[in-house]
Amino acid sequence: MTKFELAKAYDFKATEKRIYKFWEDAGYFQPTNDPNKPDFDPTKKPFVISIPPPNVTGKLHLGHAMFISMEDLMIRHARMKGIPTLWVPGSDHAGIATQLQVEKALAKEGKTRDDVGRDEFVKLAWAWKEEYGGHIQQQIRRLGASCDWTRERFTLDEGLSIAVREAFVSLYEKGLIYRGPRLINWSPNLRTAVSDLEVEYSDENGTLYYFKYRLADGSGDFIPVATTRPETILGDTAVAVHPEDERYKKYVGKQVLVPILDRAIPVIADEYVDREFGTGALKITPAHDPHDNEIGINHHLEVINILNKNATINENGGSYEGLDRFACRKKLWADMKAANLVIKEEPYRMSVPRSQRGGEIVEPLISTQWFVKIKPLAEAALKAVQDGQIRIIPDHFTKVYYNWMENIQDWCISRQLWWGHRIPVWYCDDCHEVTVARQDPDRCAHCGSTNIHQDEDVLDTWFSSGLWPFSTLGWPEETPDYKYFYPTTILETGYDILFFWVARMIMDGIEFTGKPPFEIVYLHGLVRDEKGQKMSKTKGNVIDPLTVMDTLGTDAMRFTLLVGSTPGKDTNLSIKKVEANRNFANKVWNAGRFVISALEKSPAKPNGKARWTGADEFIHARMRAVVRSVNYLFENFQYGEAGRQIYDFFWSEFADWYIEIAKLQLEEGGDRAFYTAQTLVRVLEKCLRLLHPFTPFVTEELWQNLKKAIEESGTGITIGGDWAEALITASWPESMPEEEWENTSIQAFQTGIMEIVKGIRTLRLDNKVPFRDKVEITLVTTTLQNLISNDIPLISALCNLAKVNITKTLPQQEEFKNYPSTALPSSGSTLLFHLNNSSLSADKRTQLEKELRGISSQIDRLEKLLGSDFAKKAPPVVVQREREKLSAFQETAEKLKDQINAL
RNA sequence: GGGCGGUUAGCUCAGUUGGUUAGAGCGUUGCGUUGACAUCGCAAAGGUCGUAGGUUCGAGUCCUAUACCGCCCACCA
């Protein structure tokens, strides 16, 4: 007797926390790296993932839930395969995001960052990190993430700061980092430069302003020009026209006057100008537009910056000085109108650059910043993918990657922020040379002066993220971790940060370690709402993973995310799906309860040899097939499909069929009961292993209970292998070679028991005979007789039959004419339902004829098929399969005709 | 402008080595159920797999063209 009283429903709330603690305390997440430990094997290639570090002050959202589920799946699978497995967790200091939060908190006290000063601000930011930084790590634990918390890292850690310093200095020494004035994207609210990637363009309604550029010669002649940003007129240093434009050719070389300011600027000719667009004349503002900047360089134009750092107009704007850029736009335009310099305004659809973080309009302007000369790094990174050293999944993102790498621009890495890695550059106040050093210097490396000061800027957050796979393992030190675990195996993340992060890690990895930092890039899709829309607070369609876990359980949510996703494709999440998977977790739980209860009905291990029933063989054969298929799918990164197949097998074959049959087989007692219990245990146990990477909690809890129950049952049931300490360390089911009996067993069960039982169920429903009424049937068959001879009691019990008759030919007695019947086309058999109801007989002919029509069309189709080249050219196995189908159909058709004739 | 993806049941989506009139969940309809599970069971209805060609004995699956939807990159004053 087992003393197991498992709850009727799976109680995930009670289970999840306890199980997680059990795993963590037992040290399962922590691979050994100690040569003195017995389980350390330096010849084994470890499986390693570095977590995409979430923002340290972030809150868990579905994007996190997605990658945690995905990576935990990979990690658990590898761990079960017996591979030394490491998943390095950590978080990112998230320069701009965190600084904004701290500034927001300050703003509540009516202060700005300037009020408190840099040192104090950084202290506040650290305090903020200490207070909120742990939250997301706790939330990641709730997801069941089996990462090694003893190796947790933070991008501003001491070790990682050393890595950042090393990376910067080494790039600088190679001439791959330079400083200079260039046109960059300026974020006025944040008062920092941002990289091109951090600018997002949005299509918005704007205005195209047409105005007059008067000639300086006082002729009163003018060139019409259009712009979307009138305030930039203040910084114009030329007007460009196309060299062959008949309208404006004559003006080239002459001077025109900047409106209001009356500054004289040249008219130049450049082929870049599109004669068709606008007025065909282009104002040139080299300081505030990328193209204009290029043209300016080619024509040696003056560069006039008109903006302050907060996007107000500076001293170059004359009377507009101090005005905000947009206020200036209004006022300048009004003034121009008054001066009769305005032609017209028209509505215009334009693409507006906005800051990814703050959302405000970004201004292109000239500023002195630090840049990485990226082309040499990109070339090597490109090659690593081309050569197959790194494989990107799904494949089509390879092209996206190439496209980006081939057109890459230098990367602006300096940020005018306070929260981040300070740029390791010191300026000498005496000789004005720069000192770039790994250790903080106390004097100038050139003149020895102690009058030096460090660069005020910090590095782009992504600069440190790019080093993540190796900086977290100890680089630049040759630590044991670095030597053993680097390069990592898979980099798993969303495709939205392919450029931000993945591409940079590849470039940095190759540059600094000489090796690609990982072998596989697996990109998952974004999680959207059930209609496929992006989740956003304003739309109110945000699903909070914490709430989902609270109400439906972590396993259900993980399973939903994993099974609903295909690599690289966005997935639409709806609560309905999670509910369905909550039901699945409960189904697993209850199947487990049943199997445990079956142990009570099983005697101890018998001496006799195993006697398997058709059902036993069927479920074993299907289990083997599922294991093979799941392994194939895992090898090809098709985790979603793998999960789906396990789900289907578990529910519609194991639970719906085998367990139902097992109930009857257990009643027989003796050996039959023993082998049934053993089959139940073995199949369930294997399913728990397969499911564990998807739904770790319910499977672990059940597995441990099952193990204990078996030990205490005294049945001596084995699982054909060793039990492990815990499911998390149990071995992964490997594929077994396909054997002849598998197919035979599956075929036999499906065409025999399954089809007969389904047929009887259908007859019952069609004829409104409830299950509780016993009925008699006659099975007319030439093929199934031997196959099911032992299964008559089983079929009888499953269908509540009083009697089963088996004949080879249709009975000729008068009464049978009125019996409802159904054809079993895959075996060429017919089922007669003993129910003499003359009111039904009227319909019988039509029903039979309808069935016959269906079957006949199948026969026609197959005859045609088999008469075609198909028979000659298709593989014999395939042809044979169709032949068998045809003969079964033909037999069915004969029987149907006989019945019709007998009416 | 360049690139990529999608189009399969009422809805949301699976369906990767081409194998023969397509699957799931939810929804709908009907029936059932006190012993693993109502977080359940049995069944039904519902699809010419966007369109047009092509390759092949065979195409949802491969190729070409096309329509519509979506995304990414570059960005035109």
Side-chain angles (χ1 to χ4, degrees):
Chain A
M1 284 289 281
T2 53
K3 347 175 176 44
F4 283 84
E5 281 296 321
L6 296 187
K8 255 194 140 177
Y10 169 52
D11 184 354
F12 57 84
K13 276 187 188 155
T15 306
E16 291 173 3
K17 228 178 168 175
R18 176 166 46 78
I19 293 279
Y20 192 87
K21 190 168 183 313
F22 160 76
W23 288 327
E24 196 176 357
D25 290 352
Y28 294 131
F29 302 163
Q30 199 178 346
T32 182
N33 186 19
D34 179 354
N36 301 317
K37 291 254 177 74
D39 52 337
F40 179 75
D41 181 355
T43 62
K44 268 193 186 167
K45 193 172 173 309
F47 181 92
V48 185
I49 295 180
S50 331
I51 210 168
N55 290 356
V56 66
T57 60
K59 182 178 178 247
L60 195 79
H61 55 64
L62 277 170
H64 298 122
M66 183 70 181
F67 80 69
I68 298 291
S69 303
M70 205 71 229
E71 288 167 30
D72 196 48
L73 168 102
M74 296 174 177
I75 288 285
R76 285 179 189 268
H77 174 238
R79 191 185 288 122
M80 289 175 82
K81 281 179 88 86
I83 302 167
T85 301
L86 173 63
W87 188 12
V88 186
S91 48
D92 194 290
H93 67 279
I96 294 177
T98 307
Q99 175 150 342
L100 276 176
Q101 290 195 43
V102 177
E103 285 189 31
K104 222 162 137 189
L106 276 177
K108 276 189 189 152
E109 300 168 28
K111 290 187 201 160
T112 67
R113 62 164 144 156
D114 293 314
D115 294 336
V116 295
R118 183 170 193 148
D119 290 347
E120 184 58 27
F121 185 87
V122 170
K123 261 187 218 161
L124 283 171
W126 274 105
W128 185 272
K129 183 250 168 190
E130 291 310 321
E131 186 169 353
Y132 298 101
H135 290 187
I136 193 143
Q137 307 303 342
Q138 278 313 118
Q139 292 163 341
I140 287 172
R141 281 181 165 86
R142 275 202 64 188
L143 282 158
S146 59
C147 40
D148 182 356
W149 294 104
T150 65
R151 286 180 165 92
E152 185 179 354
R153 306 310 297 264
F154 176 52
T155 48
L156 279 180
D157 274 353
E158 198 189 343
L160 272 64
S161 300
I162 291 170
V164 167
R165 179 76 68 98
E166 172 63 31
F168 185 96
V169 176
S170 117
L171 285 176
Y172 180 83
E173 286 171 349
K174 285 190 180 173
L176 294 175
I177 281 188
Y178 65 91
R179 183 177 189 246
R182 284 190 33 170
L183 194 76
I184 48 92
N185 306 293
W186 185 260
S187 166
N189 287 14
L190 302 167
R191 277 175 290 145
T192 178
V194 294
S195 71
D196 296 346
L197 277 178
E198 289 163 291
V199 178
E200 285 171 352
Y201 290 86
S202 72
D203 278 343
E204 293 172 22
N205 291 322
T207 308
L208 191 54
Y209 300 85
Y210 290 79
F211 66 97
K212 302 173 184 172
Y213 250 109
R214 287 166 300 144
L215 260 61
D217 58 15
S219 62
D221 233 356
F222 68 89
I223 304 178
V225 175
T227 181
T228 53
R229 296 187 292 159
E231 71 279 11
T232 62
I233 291 169
L234 301 173
D236 282 354
T237 54
V239 169
V241 298
H242 194 275
E244 279 148 39
D245 192 324
E246 295 303 331
R247 293 169 294 179
Y248 307 127
K249 229 169 156 177
K250 55 190 174 195
Y251 300 127
V252 174
K254 295 195 169 170
Q255 302 268 308
V256 289
L257 294 175
V258 174
I260 310 297
L261 296 184
D262 284 343
R263 185 153 48 74
I265 58 172
V267 178
I268 60 172
D270 196 293
E271 295 193 338
Y272 169 77
V273 181
D274 178 358
R275 277 174 283 185
E276 309 302 318
F277 193 89
T279 63
L282 178 60
K283 64 190 262 323
I284 304 294
T285 324
H288 298 288
D289 181 280
H291 273 112
D292 291 6
N293 189 257
E294 221 170 278
I295 293 171
I297 290 166
N298 292 340
H299 294 267
H300 306 102
L301 297 177
E302 198 186 343
V303 179
I304 300 176
N305 182 8
I306 59 160
L307 288 176
N308 291 314
K309 299 212 159 162
N310 59 3
T312 56
I313 304 298
N314 68 13
E315 68 281 4
N316 291 326
S319 63
Y320 301 96
E321 184 177 357
L323 279 181
D324 179 78
R325 56 195 157 151
F326 300 120
C328 168
R329 178 179 296 180
K330 265 190 182 161
K331 182 158 191 297
L332 176 62
W333 192 248
D335 292 348
M336 283 166 66
K337 223 174 210 166
N340 196 27
L341 292 171
V342 164
I343 301 169
K344 63 173 176 179
E345 300 167 37
E346 62 186 32
Y348 185 64
R349 190 83 184 152
M350 57 191 213
S351 175
V352 179
R354 287 182 179 276
S355 153
Q356 185 195 39
R357 277 288 159 204
E360 80 279 13
I361 295 180
V362 160
E363 293 293 335
L365 54 80
I366 304 276
S367 171
T368 299
Q369 301 285 345
W370 288 94
F371 297 88
V372 175
K373 199 168 155 189
I374 208 97
K375 281 251 156 62
L377 304 184
E379 273 164 27
L382 194 57
K383 200 163 167 292
V385 175
Q386 281 165 341
D387 293 353
Q389 294 179 69
I390 297 176
R391 180 178 162 202
I392 300 177
I393 293 163
D395 195 46
H396 71 256
F397 274 104
T398 308
K399 283 189 206 163
V400 179
Y401 174 83
Y402 289 163
N403 187 31
W404 189 73
M405 276 293 182
E406 281 161 2
N407 298 299
I408 198 163
Q409 298 294 316
D410 282 359
W411 173 19
C412 175
I413 51 169
S414 42
R415 297 288 178 276
Q416 288 65 53
L417 303 173
W418 287 347
W419 178 241
H421 296 280
R422 189 114 174 231
I423 290 178
V425 170
W426 286 260
Y427 303 96
C428 179
D429 297 330
D430 294 327
C431 74
H432 304 291
E433 290 289 336
V434 299
T435 301
V436 177
R438 287 177 174 80
Q439 304 291 328
D440 286 10
D442 52 12
R443 62 192 65 238
C444 173
H446 304 274
C447 69
S449 159
T450 54
N451 258 336
I452 56 172
H453 66 272
Q454 188 172 3
D455 195 297
E456 295 293 321
D457 293 350
V458 300
L459 288 162
D460 182 2
T461 300
W462 296 103
F463 189 90
S464 52
S465 316
L467 314 173
W468 187 251
F470 41 99
S471 65
T472 52
L473 291 172
W475 184 89
E477 295 293 314
E478 290 262 323
T479 61
D481 266 4
Y482 177 73
K483 279 194 271 191
Y484 184 54
F485 292 116
Y486 187 81
T488 67
T489 315
I490 295 189
L491 187 282
E492 196 283 339
T493 192
Y495 64 78
D496 54 330
I497 52 175
L498 179 61
F499 306 140
F500 276 109
W501 192 44
V502 182
R504 282 162 180 171
M505 282 189 289
I506 296 174
M507 291 191 279
D508 288 352
I510 295 170
E511 169 66 22
F512 299 121
T513 71
K515 294 174 196 161
F518 28 75
E519 297 159 28
I520 308 276
V521 173
Y522 179 101
L523 300 169
H524 63 249
L526 276 29
V527 185
R528 298 169 175 278
D529 79 355
E530 59 186 316
K531 300 244 166 64
Q533 295 187 316
K534 222 171 173 173
M535 289 189 193
S536 73
K537 277 182 193 159
T538 46
K539 278 187 204 144
N541 60 350
V542 177
I543 298 175
D544 178 0
L546 297 166
T547 313
V548 176
M549 284 190 277
D550 281 343
T551 53
L552 298 166
T554 300
D555 286 334
M557 189 181 70
R558 284 175 56 126
F559 199 77
T560 308
L561 290 170
L562 293 169
V563 162
S565 69
T566 307
K569 278 178 70 175
D570 293 353
T571 81
N572 299 355
L573 182 75
S574 74
I575 289 298
K576 294 243 182 215
K577 282 189 197 170
V578 189
E579 277 169 2
N581 290 323
R582 182 268 321 262
N583 296 353
F584 177 59
N586 189 58
K587 187 81 183 177
V588 172
W589 179 256
N590 273 293
R593 284 177 67 215
F594 174 77
V595 172
I596 287 172
S597 76
L599 296 170
E600 294 174 35
K601 295 185 174 147
S602 166
K605 189 176 172 57
N607 292 323
K609 224 179 153 242
R611 286 166 48 242
W612 302 111
T613 64
D616 297 336
E617 285 187 356
F618 164 75
I619 205 69
H620 274 127
R622 282 291 302 136
M623 184 79 253
R624 286 167 71 98
V626 168
V627 168
R628 261 194 301 276
S629 182
V630 167
N631 273 298
Y632 171 82
L633 292 166
F634 264 67
E635 280 156 25
N636 291 284
F637 305 97
Q638 297 177 53
Y639 303 110
E641 180 62 15
R644 235 166 276 131
Q645 289 192 10
I646 306 167
Y647 175 104
D648 285 342
F649 170 74
F650 194 93
W651 201 314
S652 22
E653 296 186 291
F654 182 56
D656 287 354
W657 285 93
Y658 188 73
I659 287 184
E660 290 311 311
I661 291 170
K663 286 175 187 170
L664 302 165
Q665 295 189 164
L666 286 166
E667 291 309 317
E668 289 183 42
D671 287 6
R672 175 59 48 83
F674 174 82
Y675 286 112
T676 301
Q678 186 178 68
T679 303
L680 284 168
V681 167
R682 290 190 174 186
V683 173
L684 172 71
E685 200 274 341
K686 200 148 271 176
C687 285
L688 293 179
R689 290 185 195 229
L690 292 179
L691 281 170
H692 185 256
F694 295 90
T695 56
F697 292 111
V698 67
T699 51
E700 179 75 78
E701 173 74 353
L702 201 50
W703 191 89
Q704 294 194 12
N705 278 300
L706 180 67
K707 185 183 170 189
K708 254 185 271 170
I710 288 168
E711 281 164 3
E712 291 175 20
S713 71
T715 55
I717 283 175
T718 59
I719 52 167
D722 289 336
W723 288 88
E725 271 179 57
L727 181 56
I728 190 174
T729 60
S731 63
W732 178 255
E734 296 294 347
S735 302
M736 309 273 276
E738 196 169 345
E739 288 172 18
E740 185 72 34
W741 66 269
E742 294 179 35
N743 244 320
T744 321
S745 307
I746 293 169
Q747 273 281 317
F749 189 79
Q750 286 175 342
T751 60
I753 293 171
M754 265 188 166
E755 195 154 296
I756 292 167
V757 171
K758 280 184 182 174
I760 297 170
R761 282 173 182 165
T762 308
L763 284 172
R764 273 186 184 281
L765 280 161
D766 286 352
N767 296 287
K768 307 215 179 338
V769 181
F771 185 80
R772 60 180 171 271
D773 295 349
K774 274 194 187 295
V775 291
E776 179 179 347
I777 61 145
T778 292
L779 176 65
V780 187
T781 183
T782 51
T783 53
L784 294 178
Q785 205 155 16
N786 294 327
L787 206 60
I788 61 156
S789 59
N790 291 327
D791 298 321
I792 306 287
L794 174 67
I795 294 171
S796 299
L798 284 174
C799 302
N800 198 21
L801 301 179
K803 195 174 174 214
V804 178
N805 314 292
I806 301 183
T807 67
K808 285 200 166 135
T809 52
L810 275 167
Q812 292 304 308
Q813 295 93 316
E814 192 62 19
E815 56 183 301
F816 281 89
K817 290 181 187 169
N818 290 341
Y819 287 173
S821 75
T822 187
L824 307 179
S826 63
S827 61
S829 314
T830 292
L831 263 179
L832 290 170
F833 207 55
H834 291 232
L835 180 75
N836 202 342
N837 184 346
S838 51
S839 70
L840 292 165
S841 68
D843 300 329
K844 193 167 175 188
R845 179 178 284 272
T846 35
Q847 184 245 323
L848 286 170
E849 281 171 348
K850 191 183 162 198
E851 263 186 299
L852 183 59
R853 272 198 304 279
I855 298 288
S856 298
S857 79
Q858 294 281 10
I859 291 173
D860 289 349
R861 202 191 99 243
L862 287 167
E863 277 175 343
K864 221 158 136 196
L865 181 68
L866 288 162
S868 72
D869 279 357
F870 171 77
K872 283 176 254 163
K873 300 200 178 174
V877 204
V878 177
V879 178
Q880 185 54 29
R881 204 158 54 216
E882 297 309 310
R883 286 228 165 84
E884 279 164 16
K885 263 192 224 165
L886 176 60
S887 67
F889 282 137
Q890 281 165 336
E891 213 176 321
T892 310
E894 287 311 308
K895 293 215 174 72
L896 285 167
K897 280 180 200 159
D898 287 351
Q899 282 191 81
I900 292 168
N901 290 336
L903 285 174

